[in-house]
């Protein structure tokens, strides 16, 4: 038996933050990437908050940010798109495997203690 079976070393701190977890999940579902505005709406973030979290993910090699132009009213406008890198996809899937283990361990512990798995309102 491992010395610290509940240490969950694979829970990557870069990914584990709530906003970044949402961003990576959104990008995982969009192989062609997502526009900055779409990510902002999907994850409920402000421009500044989204920019900062994307910067952290980009520095970690998890996402790629591409600047270009899109079409809009009156011609072209700047368009920033975000893409999950191949390394980011792999790292995120590894993270999810550890997170699934956390859920299995918690369910087993609750079952062993004869506790309900889902909290019920009092």
């Amino acid at each position: 038996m491992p010395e610290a079976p509940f240490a969950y070393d694979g829970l990557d701190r870069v990914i584990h933050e709530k906003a970044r977890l949402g961003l990576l999940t959104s990008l995982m579902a969009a192989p062609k990437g997502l526009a900055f505005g779409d990510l902002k709406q999907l994850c409920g973030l402000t421009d500044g908050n989204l920019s900062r979290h994307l910067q952290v993910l980009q520095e970690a090699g998890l996402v790629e940010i591409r600047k270009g132009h899109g079409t809009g009213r009156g011609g072209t406008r700047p368009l920033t798109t975000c893409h999950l890198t191949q390394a980011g996809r792999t790292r995120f899937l590894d993270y999810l495997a550890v997170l699934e283990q956390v859920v299995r361990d918690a369910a087993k512990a609750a079952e062993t203690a004869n506790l309900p798995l889902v909290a019920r309102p009092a």
Side-chain angles (χ1 to χ4, degrees):
M1 174 175 237
E3 267 187 52
F6 302 119
Y8 304 115
D9 293 328
L11 289 181
D12 189 326
R13 289 185 183 271
V14 170
I15 297 172
H16 202 66
E17 200 285 329
K18 177 185 166 192
R20 292 192 288 268
L21 184 58
L23 290 169
L24 291 171
T25 300
S26 299
L27 292 171
M28 182 67 95
K32 293 182 180 182
L34 289 169
F36 185 91
D38 293 335
L39 273 174
K40 178 181 163 183
Q41 182 180 12
L42 286 168
C43 297
L45 298 170
T46 64
D47 286 353
N49 221 334
L50 176 55
S51 291
R52 178 64 186 127
H53 287 297
L54 287 173
Q55 180 183 10
V56 169
L57 293 171
Q58 184 178 31
E59 288 170 358
L62 300 173
V63 300
E64 178 184 9
I65 299 171
R66 299 178 191 158
K67 304 242 181 204
H69 289 82
T71 56
R73 285 187 247 165
T76 62
R77 60 183 173 87
L79 179 66
T80 300
T81 56
C82 305
H83 304 264
L84 199 54
T85 63
Q86 187 56 48
R89 185 173 301 281
T90 299
R91 196 162 148 190
F92 188 52
L93 289 172
D94 290 346
Y95 168 87
L96 291 176
V98 175
L99 197 55
E100 287 174 338
Q101 186 62 51
V102 171
V103 172
R104 283 192 298 274
D105 290 348
K108 184 176 179 182
E111 183 179 306
T112 301
N114 204 21
L115 297 171
L117 190 54
V118 177
R120 294 189 173 84

